[in-house]
Amino acid sequence: DIQLTQSPSFLSASVGDRVTITCRASQDISGYLAWYQQKPGKAPNLLIYAASTLESGVPSRFSGSGSGTEFTLTISNLQPEDLATYYCQQLIRYPPDYTFGQGTRLEI
Amino acid sequence: EVQLVQSGAEVKKPGESLKISCKGSGYSFTNYWIGWVRQMPGKGLEWMGVIYPSNSDTRYNPSFQGQVTISADKSITTAYVQWSSLKASDTAMYYCARLRVGYCGGDCYPFDSWGQGTLVTVSS
C-alpha cells in the first residue's frame, strides 16, 4: 500500500505569510495527487488536483507543485479564512486507492 | 449546480443496522463515480469505497471491505452506505463525494463536490 505522510502536522502563521505544506508518498505516484481544505465543521473542498492544477473558483494564492514522491502545497498572502486542516490525497485508479494524508492543521 | 444532499444524523445502538443516503442533483448522476469517506471524531479522512451508479461497479478500500456495503439506485439518483451490525467504532461523520475526471498524466478522479456529511453515533 502507498502511504502519504504530510509535514508538518501543525502550522501556525500570520496574516500575509507564505506557508508550505509537504506531502511525501511511499512510492512514485507521478502527478496523481490532490489537495483539499477542510474548515472546522465543514466538508472538505477540492483545491488542487494533478499536483498543480488549480480547481475552478479557488483563489490563486493557493498553488501546488511536485511529482513522483514529493509534493507541496503553498499558500501565499495568508488570509484569516485560510484557517483549516489541509489534506493531500492520492488519485490512483488501478487498483483504486484514494488514501489521504493525515492532515496539516493551519492556525492563523 | 451540482448538489449532494445526505440524510440526517443517526443515533444507533451496537448491533443495529443502518443505511445512510446521498442524493445527487444538478448533473448526470450515472456518469460520475460517487465515493464515501469516513472521518472519526477529531481524526483525518479515510476513503471507504467508490461506486459507478450506471452499472453499480463498486470498489472498496480493503480496510472497509466486508464492513460496509455501498450501493446506488440510479432511478432516484441516490447512493448509499449500509451496515448490518454497527459497532461503537463506527461512530463518525460520513461524507459522500462526486469523482470528476481530470488529467494527471492519465485519467484521474479528484473528489470535486461533497455532501454536507451524516453524523452517525453508535452508543449503548
Side-chain angles (χ1 to χ4, degrees):
Chain A
D1 292 359
I2 301 173
Q3 309 297 320
L4 296 179
T5 303
Q6 290 182 229
S7 60
S9 296
F10 175 79
L11 185 54
S12 182
S14 300
V15 172
D17 282 355
R18 180 173 179 264
V19 300
T20 298
I21 298 168
T22 298
C23 178
R24 288 188 174 87
S26 59
Q27 297 177 40
D28 186 342
I29 58 171
S30 187
Y32 287 75
L33 191 99
W35 290 97
Y36 299 84
Q37 175 193 64
Q38 186 179 31
K39 295 184 178 181
K42 300 294 186 183
N45 182 53
L46 176 65
L47 298 174
I48 285 166
Y49 66 95
S52 61
T53 301
L54 195 67
E55 176 70 353
S56 177
V58 174
S60 59
R61 64 177 183 275
F62 291 90
S63 63
S65 65
S67 182
T69 61
E70 186 151 334
F71 303 86
T72 59
L73 172 69
T74 299
I75 312 172
S76 302
N77 188 22
L78 206 59
Q79 297 299 302
E81 60 265 30
D82 298 333
L83 180 148
T85 300
Y86 294 84
Y87 295 92
C88 59
Q89 182 198 29
Q90 61 194 28
L91 303 176
I92 302 301
R93 197 176 172 203
Y94 298 110
D97 189 344
Y98 297 105
T99 299
F100 293 89
Q102 83 277 14
T104 295
R105 187 160 69 91
L106 175 60
E107 176 186 272
I108 310 295
Chain B
E1 179 196 5
V2 174
Q3 280 199 307
L4 295 171
V5 178
Q6 298 185 230
S7 49
E10 302 275 0
V11 179
K12 292 289 190 178
K13 291 181 165 45
E16 292 186 331
S17 62
L18 176 65
K19 191 174 188 178
I20 63 174
S21 66
C22 168
K23 182 170 176 63
S25 63
Y27 73 99
S28 178
F29 185 75
T30 53
N31 288 349
Y32 292 80
W33 291 80
I34 291 281
W36 285 93
V37 175
R38 182 177 77 175
Q39 187 167 38
M40 299 175 75
K43 301 298 184 183
L45 305 171
E46 302 171 272
W47 80 282
M48 301 167 65
V50 296
I51 186 166
Y52 193 62
S54 178
N55 59 8
S56 290
D57 184 5
T58 307
R59 314 294 175 88
Y60 290 94
N61 178 339
S63 298
F64 289 87
Q65 181 89 45
Q67 308 304 307
V68 298
T69 301
I70 293 171
S71 61
D73 185 339
K74 61 186 178 184
S75 69
I76 55 171
T77 67
T78 300
Y80 305 92
V81 62
Q82 66 181 84
W83 295 259
S84 58
S85 180
L86 287 160
K87 303 184 279 288
S89 57
D90 293 317
T91 294
M93 181 72 82
Y94 292 88
Y95 295 101
C96 64
R98 187 186 78 161
L99 281 65
R100 188 196 72 220
V101 65
Y103 186 73
C104 296
D107 284 352
C108 60
Y109 292 82
F111 292 25
D112 78 324
S113 297
W114 293 68
Q116 82 279 17
T118 296
L119 181 62
V120 174
T121 303
V122 184
S123 174
S124 55

